Each structure stands twice: as C-alpha cells, then as structure tokens.
C-alpha cells in the first residue's frame, strides 16, 4: 500500500498541470482574444483549439474557428489558414460571417510569406507563381458577388483591380519568355489571351506590342498591321513602340547595382 501511494504521488507530481481544465468556453475564448491582441500566436492557437475541442457545438466554437484561420495567417502559416477556412466553409456554409471568411481567404493568398523578398530582389509581383494570385482573385470575386454590401467589399474591390492587372502581367511575362526564345506562335497566343480576357488592363499595352512583333516574325503581315493599328489607337504614346525592350541586366549584375 505504501509503495502504491508513493507511485501515485510521483505520478501526480510529474503530470502536466492544465490551468484551463475547468474554464468555460467564454473564458477560454476571451483569453484567446487577449493573446491575439498581444500577438502571441502560439498561445492563442492553443486556446482556440481548446474551445473547439471542448465545446464543439457552441457559438464560441464557430468563432474560434474563424479566429484560428486568422491566427494561422498572421503566424505565416498560409496552408494551415486555408485548411481552417475550408473546414469552416464546409461546417458552416450559411454562417453570418461568411463574407469575412471569403475576405480572409483572399488575404491569405494575396500576401504570401515570400512576398517580402520582392523588395530585396526587385521581383515584379506578376513574376511569382500565379496560383496564389488566382485563388485570391476568386475569393474576392465571390465576396463581391455574394455580399456586395459587405464592409469588406470596398477593400476587396481595390485588391481585385490590382490582381487583374497582376495576373494579366503574368501572362505577358510568359509571352515575353516565349518570344525571346523564338517561340512566336506561343508568344502570340499568350498575348492574345491578355487582350481578350483582361480587356482594359494596363498590361494590354505590352501584350499588343508582343502581338505585333510575334506576327511580324511569323510573316503574318495582315494580322501584324491589325494589331499595330489597335496598339496605336489605344496607346498613341506607347513606350514600347518608342523604345522597345530595355537590355536585360548583365549576369554579373542582376540587381542593376552598378
């Protein structure tokens, strides 16, 4: 008996103490909000997960899932954030906060963790993988269609405008890549996609210029002249017509420092 009591005492002493064991859902959630306000993402995640696990069918569990997606995004865990958002949309398709969830989904893809490097490398946003840009576009577009009066709609609309031209510029980068490698048919097709799918986007100017040059290389003079007329009518002072493409930086000086 004495040995049993000693072993039990040791087990109790070594067991990890959970101060939140008897906390209510409200107290757990309020503590999580305080941790979020302080930027303590790991602790906030622990509290929010506890709310959902211990009180899975309550209002606090629903809100905890929303905040968990936000915490994952702020903690540079975009994949976890998107997975949490997908789980929320599946469990609560008609939730009153769906407009915010769509807005957050757009933000997660809009600002990938690697974006900060663009300021160092001077990489154009359009040169990055367009998958995330398109996911962001789709989320903001759905938000504006389903909830045009949402308080998140004005900001989503501005971001959508930027995304349209950025995605269009991505197509232009691909067209330019093909042109520089003498793949003129592929270059013309990509440039034509920009003109037809992203009408009015600033990227259309370079797309038209690439179309003119590609048709010229292919010997398709009628199409070349038609494209040139459209370019001159819409962009009479086009910098591409005046200057062409600037020479690429030397391999030993990729950032143009010298």
């Amino acid at each position: 008996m004495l040995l049993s009591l000693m072993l039990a005492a040791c087990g109790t002493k070594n067991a990890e103490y959970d101060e939140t064991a008897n906390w209510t859902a409200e107290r757990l959630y309020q503590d999580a909000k305080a941790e979020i306000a302080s930027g303590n993402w790991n602790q906030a995640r622990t509290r929010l997960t506890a709310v959902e696990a211990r009180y899975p069918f309550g209002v606090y569990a629903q809100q905890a899932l929303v905040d968990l997606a936000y915490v994952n995004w702020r903690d540079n865990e975009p994949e976890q954030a998107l997975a949490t958002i997908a789980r929320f949309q599946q469990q609560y398709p008609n939730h009153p906060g769906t407009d915010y969830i769509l807005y957050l989904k757009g933000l997660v893809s809009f600002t990938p963790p690697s974006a900060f490097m663009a300021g160092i490398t001077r990489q154009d946003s359009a040169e990055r993988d367009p998958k995330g840009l398109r996911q962001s576009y789709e989320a903001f577009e759905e938000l504006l269609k389903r909830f045009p009066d949402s308080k998140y709609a004005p900001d989503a609309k501005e971001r959508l405008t930027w995304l349209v031209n950025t995605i269009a510029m991505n197509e232009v980068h691909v067209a330019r890549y093909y042109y520089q490698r003498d793949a003129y048919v592929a270059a013309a097709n990509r440039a034509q996609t920009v003109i037809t799918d992203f009408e009015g986007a600033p990227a259309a100017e370079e797309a038209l210029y690439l179309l003119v040059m590609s048709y010229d290389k292919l010997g398709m003079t009628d199409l070349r002249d038609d494209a040139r007329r459209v370019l001159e009518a819409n962009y009479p002072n086009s910098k591409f017509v005046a200057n062409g493409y600037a020479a690429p930086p030397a391999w030993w000086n990729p950032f143009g420092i010298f």
Side-chain angles (χ1 to χ4, degrees), residues 3-250:
L3 180 59
S4 299
L5 288 172
M6 290 177 64
L7 291 173
C10 289
T12 303
K13 183 177 180 180
N14 293 331
E16 185 177 350
Y17 174 68
D18 184 1
E19 63 175 348
T20 70
N22 297 316
W23 286 14
T24 62
E26 181 180 5
R27 185 177 178 185
L28 277 170
Y29 180 72
Q30 292 303 328
D31 193 72
K33 294 293 287 184
E35 299 293 352
I36 291 173
S38 300
N40 299 325
W41 309 124
N42 286 334
Q43 190 71 351
R45 187 182 291 107
T46 299
R47 295 288 187 263
L48 293 169
T49 302
V51 172
E52 191 185 6
R54 298 179 194 177
Y55 306 95
F57 304 111
V59 175
Y60 287 108
Q62 297 178 24
Q63 190 58 46
L65 199 55
V66 173
D67 291 340
L68 185 59
Y70 172 81
V71 166
N72 285 329
W73 170 56
R74 290 299 307 274
D75 198 28
N76 292 329
E77 295 288 349
E79 297 301 326
Q80 292 296 324
L82 291 174
T84 304
I85 289 171
R87 185 153 58 91
F88 180 89
Q89 291 178 311
Q90 183 178 15
Q91 293 180 10
Y92 311 107
N94 299 315
H95 192 276
T98 298
D99 60 334
Y100 172 73
I101 281 292
L102 288 171
Y103 178 68
L104 182 59
K105 185 177 181 180
L107 290 179
V108 170
S109 301
F110 189 82
T111 53
S114 60
F116 79 97
M117 288 298 294
I120 300 174
T121 63
R122 300 184 184 179
Q123 181 190 33
D124 190 329
S125 300
E127 293 182 279
R128 298 200 298 269
D129 184 356
K131 180 180 178 181
L133 298 174
R134 291 185 181 277
Q135 288 178 339
S136 183
Y137 175 88
E138 290 167 2
F140 287 137
E141 185 180 43
E142 184 179 355
L143 167 62
L144 293 174
K145 285 183 178 179
R146 294 178 58 186
F147 308 98
D149 299 323
S150 169
K151 65 179 181 180
Y152 306 106
D155 186 69
K157 188 177 296 184
E158 290 185 10
R159 293 176 186 273
L160 202 61
T161 300
W162 180 87
L163 283 165
V164 166
N165 192 57
T166 303
I167 295 171
M169 277 304 305
N170 181 269
E171 294 291 327
V172 168
H173 282 302
V174 176
R176 190 193 309 158
Y177 174 88
Y178 284 137
Y179 179 84
Q180 292 171 343
R181 283 153 183 80
D182 302 332
Y184 304 121
V185 173
N189 289 338
R190 285 284 186 161
Q192 188 64 53
T193 296
V194 175
I195 297 165
T196 56
D197 293 355
F198 302 95
E199 184 179 358
E205 178 185 356
E206 186 174 355
L208 280 165
Y209 178 68
L210 278 166
L211 200 60
V212 171
M213 294 194 301
S214 297
Y215 285 148
D216 184 64
K217 292 291 185 179
L218 292 168
M220 305 173 74
T221 55
D222 289 342
L223 291 176
R224 178 200 63 193
D225 293 342
D226 288 343
R228 181 179 288 127
R229 279 193 291 271
V230 174
L231 175 61
E232 292 174 350
N234 288 275
Y235 305 98
N237 300 313
S238 174
K239 61 181 180 181
F240 297 106
V241 172
N243 305 317
Y245 283 127

